[in-house]
Amino acid sequence: ADRFYDNIEDMIGYRPGPYIKYCWMFFTPATCIGTFAFSIIKYTPLKYNNEYVYPWWGYFVGWLLALSSIMCIPFWMLYKMATTQGTLRERVQLLVTPADDLPKTKREQQDLLAIFAPEEDDATANKRGYLPVAEDDTAI
């Protein structure tokens, strides 16, 4: 959630309020799961003009179309789990770790281009205690 929060900041130019982060982490998943569960519990067959009930194969085609896009994610997960080398724990750890070649957020870039600020020069250090390095100093 923190990386996504940083990416949103990069896209819109300011950091959204902290309540947004908690909505992404708790409220949105709970709402999605609740909506899905409610739709399964309260399921009724679809009727046209409150009279015609569709045949079984019509439901089958509808579910096939809906699941064709949804099932790509679990199928890809199973494929990657089956083709990755290592124990189950190592495969899961490898597959849930972000790739090293992902673009860095502005916050990560600032942290990479910073050095620890001396204690007597707190006026120019940022609130994390780092002093940004000039771009001339980073050239190799």
Side-chain angles (χ1 to χ4, degrees), residues 48-59:
Y48 177 71
N49 207 10
N50 214 13
E51 187 175 304
Y52 176 74
V53 178
Y54 290 97
W56 68 268
W57 58 267
Y59 289 106

Side-chain angles (χ1 to χ4, degrees), residues 24-41:
W24 290 324
M25 291 174 63
F26 304 110
F27 181 72
T28 301
T31 302
C32 291
I33 291 169
T35 302
F36 181 68
F38 183 77
S39 67
I40 289 175
I41 292 168

Side-chain angles (χ1 to χ4, degrees), residues 5-22:
Y5 204 55
D6 291 340
N7 289 339
I8 294 295
E9 179 184 5
D10 288 347
M11 287 186 268
I12 63 175
Y14 61 92
R15 198 156 182 85
Y19 60 91
I20 296 293
K21 179 179 174 182
Y22 296 111

Side-chain angles (χ1 to χ4, degrees), residues 78-94:
L78 292 173
Y79 168 75
K80 292 302 280 184
M81 289 292 289
T83 59
T84 303
Q85 298 296 321
T87 64
L88 179 64
R89 184 181 185 123
E90 291 170 347
R91 288 182 281 178
V92 169
Q93 182 63 38
L94 178 69

